[in-house]
Amino acid sequence: MKFLSVFLRTLDKINPPSKVYAHCDVPCGIYDIAPAKIAASTVAKMVEKIEALNFEELDKPTRNSFVRMVMTKEQHAELCKRELLILWTDFFKPEHLAMFPDLHDAFWQATKLCSKNKQGIDPQVAQELQDAVAKIGDMLMEAKAKAQK
Amino acid sequence: MAPAFLKGERLVISFLPYFFGGPKIGDVVVLRHPQQKNLLLLKRINDIKDNKYTVIGDNLNGTDSRTFGLIDRKNIVGKFVAKY
């Protein structure tokens, strides 16, 4: 049996075996900032559109648009928070703290900004969320680049 | 799949056992992820119905039929035979 093991391991040196995975995260190790970025941009766009509404004439179509815009803003702020939490809890590991000492703070601030964008309609806060997501995106790219070296 | 299978272990996987009969409940098999054909997974067959296989990992925090659904026979690459 030991001879067989040595023989198979020697063969592996010539023709390396395929890797199989017993565990994988959904969606199997694919971590990307894009969904959070799109959600944050949608929040900013909704804020912009709400600001552009004419509240002097609150006719039915305008009210309908207003409700839909607020709803979309709410949904995408929640989506953004969820996407950020996936990156925070599933992708980033304790060793990344050495690379990014402010990692936890960056996520904490960004997810808090998601809530803040739900609470109000403020272009400045929407921009802050986009900036916070972009910063996390840079961290993600840097961490991925290091892992590939 | 710990503790039965640990990271880095080398396994012999063969399709030969399935020439004489299909996969059975309890078999440990290597399969292709239904949505990512290049991803090979090691799972245990939990149930078979109408030629569709339910595969589950030994540890319930993994990705298996609870997330990607039932798999076809064609997705099964082979049966675990031995470690070396």
Side-chain angles (χ1 to χ4, degrees):
Chain A
M1 198 65 189
K2 186 162 185 193
F3 169 76
L4 192 61
S5 177
V6 172
F7 174 70
L8 288 172
R9 281 172 182 263
T10 309
L11 275 185
D12 284 350
K13 285 179 186 162
I14 304 162
N15 185 22
S18 304
K19 269 191 184 177
V20 300
Y21 298 87
H23 171 242
C24 62
D25 279 321
V26 179
C28 299
I30 299 169
Y31 296 103
D32 204 307
I33 196 67
K37 266 190 179 171
I38 293 169
S41 302
T42 306
V43 169
K45 193 73 190 170
M46 288 306 113
V47 170
E48 187 188 314
K49 285 174 94 68
I50 292 166
E51 294 262 285
L53 282 176
N54 181 6
F55 286 95
E56 299 295 316
E57 292 171 22
L58 270 180
D59 53 357
K60 275 185 189 170
T62 310
R63 284 180 191 210
N64 185 58
S65 298
F66 175 61
V67 171
R68 291 187 67 193
M69 287 166 194
V70 172
M71 198 171 72
T72 305
K73 177 172 74 71
E74 182 81 14
Q75 286 169 345
H76 282 78
E78 187 60 35
L79 184 64
C80 186
K81 189 189 277 186
R82 181 177 151 67
E83 291 295 337
L84 290 173
L85 290 177
I86 289 170
L87 296 177
W88 193 5
T89 56
D90 295 356
F91 174 80
F92 284 102
K93 304 281 184 294
E95 56 264 31
H96 290 123
L97 276 173
M99 282 175 80
F100 315 109
D102 62 339
L103 180 88
H104 290 327
D105 192 57
F107 274 101
W108 190 49
Q109 296 300 339
T111 47
K112 280 210 160 292
L113 280 165
C114 294
S115 304
K116 220 172 165 184
N117 272 287
K118 287 174 159 200
Q119 290 159 359
I121 303 162
D122 186 338
Q124 177 64 32
V125 179
Q127 183 58 51
E128 283 173 21
L129 174 61
Q130 286 183 293
D131 295 344
V133 170
K135 183 182 170 182
I136 289 170
D138 291 343
M139 286 175 169
L140 182 69
M141 274 180 64
E142 207 178 320
K144 277 184 177 178
K146 196 179 178 192
Q148 281 171 355
K149 277 179 191 170
Chain B
M1 293 289 279
F5 299 92
L6 301 175
K7 191 176 179 182
E9 284 187 321
R10 294 174 193 225
L11 314 175
V12 177
I13 305 296
S14 172
F15 201 77
L16 284 178
Y18 295 144
F19 278 140
F20 311 104
K24 295 181 186 64
I25 292 173
D27 283 2
V28 173
V29 295
V30 167
L31 58 123
R32 289 194 188 281
H33 190 294
Q35 279 100 43
Q36 278 189 266
K37 301 295 179 201
N38 293 329
L39 187 69
L40 295 172
L41 301 173
L42 185 74
K43 300 288 166 193
R44 206 177 286 275
I45 294 178
N46 188 57
D47 196 17
I48 307 166
K49 261 185 200 148
D50 303 327
N51 285 326
K52 295 276 186 183
Y53 297 81
T54 305
V55 292
I56 302 282
D58 286 357
N59 297 293
L60 294 179
N61 58 353
T63 303
D64 49 34
S65 286
R66 290 166 301 156
T67 47
F68 54 63
L70 305 179
I71 61 155
D72 293 322
R73 168 86 180 259
K74 64 174 192 231
N75 285 81
I76 297 176
V77 175
K79 181 183 177 182
F80 159 71
V81 178
K83 294 182 187 181
Y84 63 96

